[in-house]
Amino acid sequence: MQRERLSHDKLLRTLLEAGTALNSSLDLDSLLDLIMDSACRIFGAGAASLLLLDESTETLFFKTVTGEKREELKSYRLKLGEGIAGWVAQNGKPLIVADPATDDRLRKEIGEEIGYPTTSLMCVPLRVEGRVIGVLQVLNRLQGSFGDEDLEHLQLLAEQVSRALQNARIYSGEVKEKQRLNELIDDRYRPIGQSVSFRSALEVALKAAPSKATVLLRGESGTGKEVIARTIHRASQRADHPLVTVNCAAISESLLESELFGYERGAFTGAEKLKRGKFELANGGTIFLDEIGNMSSPIQSKILRVLQEKEVDRVGGTRPVPVDVRVVAATNSDLEKMIEEGKFREDLFYRLNVISITLPPLRERREDIPPLIDRFLQRYNAETKKNIRGISAEALDVLMRYRFPGNVRELENIIERAVVLEDEELIQPERLPFFSADGVGGPGPDEDGGHFPSLADMEKRHVSAALKRTKGVKTEACKLLGISRPTLDRKIHKYKIEV
């Protein structure tokens, strides 16, 4: 008897350890099956099952079942309060039924239909934050009957399983939220453009991505340098590790050093605990240093050390911290001129300028304006719950002649404003911030002179080129153009393009 008792306790410890493992496991179903099988051995039962509550229908369904009748049982549902499991779920009380045949709460027909009658039963509720989410039950004791001690052990197991189920729900919710955020990020930072100049820059970025080489992105403000930086990171072998973005112009000089390299506890007044800098946070991944032309000479020296030695020195630190970080930098400054003026270190420039990519301003890639507008329309329609179908020919003509000193970022802001203010199905020229009755107002109507193709000619050539590249596959052409299938069909019909 003592040996049997020790064996029982050992099995119980094994079961509880397995239950604890549930809390960190991603394969919840497999471990629940393991727990139910172990429960049968521990309690000397013929079968065990776990039922969860579907709150939308107020019914219990079989999540995990042991025994040869498991598949048949999974097709059954119990209403809340129906059957012994339904009673336990409704009342939240554990229950031992020594002779189910005499208990009116038992759904005898289920056992009869599957050919497995219930001869004894023990059932306990599963709770999360005080709320019953299901029940755990063991059936048909092979020898003797279930006792109070068995019920206590089953309740201990139920606590473990309840915690595991709660963790699994939280994890599932976090995964879905992460997927949703990643989709939003992918949408916001997906490169859009079919112009030769933009595609050439993107091609270089994608070729550079798999390497460890530093990349220097150059171009005017708002040309999409962060978009390209994110594209390089996602296409690299570091894609599963962090991408940390630092705008060097947005952080004061006094704070930039501690932001980039971190500091030790007590390094200065207010440093109450250790802080890891952006380089440490990006370890294994990529750091994007935007507006590097704004860094002081001491900060430039420290960044050069990181690139050369692969380690950072925290403020107030006594020993270096090794880091493995790929650097992508960006600037709209003339670094060569800054070197001549003694404002930028030449050795750092050559370290950063291993692969240089210059992004063209929007006024030099006007054929990309229509697909960019379509993308921004989709985005801000979704955000504002509106359904602006497109942009009028007049408004598009105004935008095609505008010089966009703020580049793609300015175009996005213009479309966001237009979507918010527009009451028509199409964006009208009056919704553009620089529009006036005489034509384009504000800074920069196109004054380049020379031949300027009509909007219709440009759009027709653009759509035709996309269809030619995709060999007439409309779905692929839509991806290239960044527009929907109905929009593409309308343009094909409008310009009588042969597919």
Side-chain angles (χ1 to χ4, degrees):
M1 182 65 182
Q2 180 67 16
R3 181 179 300 173
E4 181 181 346
R5 179 72 229 166
L6 289 172
S7 176
H8 185 282
D9 288 345
K10 183 177 180 181
L11 282 172
L12 180 59
R13 284 196 301 272
T14 302
L15 181 57
L16 292 177
E17 289 170 0
T20 303
L22 277 165
N23 298 316
S24 58
S25 172
L26 304 185
D27 189 4
L28 182 66
D29 290 340
S30 297
L31 278 171
L32 286 177
D33 287 340
L34 171 64
I35 292 296
M36 292 300 99
D37 289 337
S38 299
C40 287
R41 294 196 305 273
I42 288 173
F43 298 107
S49 57
L50 185 151
L51 295 87
L52 294 180
L53 178 62
D54 181 348
E55 294 181 345
S56 63
T57 59
E58 293 192 337
T59 58
L60 290 166
F61 64 93
F62 287 87
K63 172 69 174 175
T64 303
V65 186
T66 66
E68 58 185 24
K69 301 297 182 179
R70 67 175 67 194
E71 295 307 320
E72 290 94 326
L73 274 174
K74 285 185 177 181
S75 64
Y76 287 91
R77 281 193 173 232
L78 297 173
K79 294 180 181 179
L80 195 61
E82 181 182 27
I84 291 175
W87 184 92
V88 171
Q90 186 177 57
N91 292 275
K93 296 179 180 180
L95 192 64
I96 295 178
V97 181
D99 186 9
T102 62
D103 195 310
D104 294 337
R105 292 170 294 194
L106 180 70
R107 281 281 305 274
K108 300 180 180 66
E109 64 272 19
I110 294 179
E112 293 171 357
E113 289 173 6
I114 66 173
Y116 191 82
T118 302
T119 58
S120 59
L121 182 147
M122 183 169 55
C123 185
V124 297
L126 298 170
R127 285 190 176 87
V128 168
E129 297 177 352
R131 179 172 53 89
V132 175
I133 64 166
V135 298
L136 182 62
Q137 62 181 9
V138 290
L139 313 170
N140 299 356
R141 184 71 178 259
L142 300 179
Q143 293 181 352
S145 58
F146 296 119
D148 292 339
E149 189 176 19
D150 294 317
L151 191 63
E152 290 177 8
H153 290 164
L154 188 61
Q155 286 178 293
L156 287 174
L157 175 60
E159 291 176 8
Q160 297 283 354
V161 174
S162 297
R163 190 176 299 116
L165 290 169
Q166 173 68 352
N167 289 347
R169 289 183 178 184
I170 292 173
Y171 174 79
S172 176
E174 289 175 347
V175 168
K176 290 178 180 177
E177 179 65 11
K178 184 176 181 181
Q179 289 173 342
R180 186 186 72 83
L181 290 174
N182 284 338
E183 288 169 2
L184 290 174
I185 291 172
D186 286 344
D187 173 73
R188 181 167 292 277
Y189 293 103
R190 183 160 65 89
I192 299 293
Q194 292 302 311
S195 62
V196 174
S197 57
F198 181 78
R199 298 305 296 183
S200 297
L202 182 60
E203 183 178 354
V204 175
L206 292 175
K207 285 182 178 179
S211 72
K212 296 181 179 180
T214 56
V215 179
L216 179 60
L217 303 176
R218 312 187 72 166
E220 297 177 8
S221 179
T223 50
K225 294 188 285 293
E226 185 174 355
V227 170
I228 298 300
R230 289 181 178 274
T231 300
I232 291 171
H233 176 71
R234 288 201 301 266
S236 74
Q237 298 176 358
R238 299 170 178 264
D240 293 333
H241 296 278
L243 169 66
V244 177
T245 299
V246 183
N247 187 334
C248 300
I251 304 174
S252 67
E253 181 64 32
S254 60
L255 293 177
L256 185 58
E257 181 179 10
S258 59
E259 280 295 311
L260 288 174
F261 310 112
Y263 55 77
E264 297 284 350
R265 179 182 179 184
F268 49 82
T269 303
E272 297 178 355
K273 60 181 179 180
L274 179 147
K275 177 183 177 180
R276 291 179 173 83
K278 301 297 187 183
F279 274 96
E280 285 186 74
L281 295 176
N283 192 39
T286 306
I287 188 168
F288 175 50
L289 301 175
D290 199 7
E291 303 297 351
I292 57 166
N294 292 74
M295 293 188 302
S296 67
S297 181
I299 300 293
Q300 292 175 34
S301 299
K302 279 206 161 190
I303 293 215
L304 179 63
R305 171 171 163 72
V306 176
L307 292 173
Q308 291 175 332
E309 307 298 334
K310 309 296 183 186
E311 57 188 26
V312 298
D313 294 310
R314 297 185 189 133
V315 177
T318 57
R319 64 179 187 275
V321 179
V323 291
D324 173 25
V325 178
R326 200 263 185 89
V327 175
V328 178
T331 184
N332 60 6
S333 303
D334 186 343
L335 294 184
E336 289 84 355
K337 184 178 180 180
M338 292 181 67
I339 291 172
E340 291 178 3
E341 296 173 349
K343 297 178 180 178
F344 200 85
R345 292 183 62 117
E346 187 174 16
D347 47 3
L348 176 60
F349 172 76
Y350 289 121
R351 278 282 182 178
L352 294 174
N353 198 39
V354 176
I355 296 177
S356 180
I357 302 173
T358 300
L359 297 180
L362 189 55
R363 61 183 174 275
E364 295 178 7
R365 44 180 287 221
R366 294 185 182 277
E367 59 266 47
D368 292 338
I369 293 176
L372 284 167
I373 291 173
D374 284 335
R375 167 51 57 88
F376 297 145
L377 273 175
Q378 292 174 17
R379 180 179 301 164
Y380 292 110
N381 268 331
E383 287 189 10
T384 59
K385 311 298 182 186
K386 298 183 77 170
N387 189 28
I388 307 297
R389 290 196 300 107
I391 185 168
S392 68
E394 296 84 357
L396 184 55
D397 181 59
V398 170
L399 291 176
M400 293 297 288
R401 290 188 289 117
Y402 184 60
R403 287 186 63 81
F404 289 104
N407 292 294
V408 178
R409 186 181 297 126
E410 183 182 10
L411 175 60
E412 180 176 1
N413 293 340
I414 288 170
I415 298 303
E416 180 182 11
R417 176 183 186 274
V419 169
V420 170
L421 298 178
E422 189 56 74
D423 298 320
E424 305 293 331
E425 289 188 341
L426 301 176
I427 291 175
Q428 302 303 315
E430 293 81 3
R431 301 304 181 193
L432 305 179
F434 43 72
F435 176 78
S436 67
D438 328 4
V440 180
D446 194 337
E447 298 168 355
D448 292 338
H451 173 69
F452 190 84
S454 70
L455 172 63
D457 287 342
M458 182 177 291
E459 190 170 51
K460 180 179 180 179
R461 288 202 303 267
H462 191 55
V463 173
S464 298
L467 288 166
K468 183 177 180 180
R469 175 175 291 194
T470 61
K471 299 180 180 179
V473 180
K474 292 183 178 180
T475 303
E476 296 301 317
C478 288
K479 291 180 181 178
L480 286 178
L481 295 167
I483 60 177
S484 65
R485 179 65 177 270
T487 301
L488 177 62
D489 289 336
R490 284 198 301 271
K491 294 183 186 301
I492 290 173
H493 177 74
K494 175 182 178 180
Y495 297 120
K496 298 180 174 57
I497 298 172
E498 291 187 11
V499 181

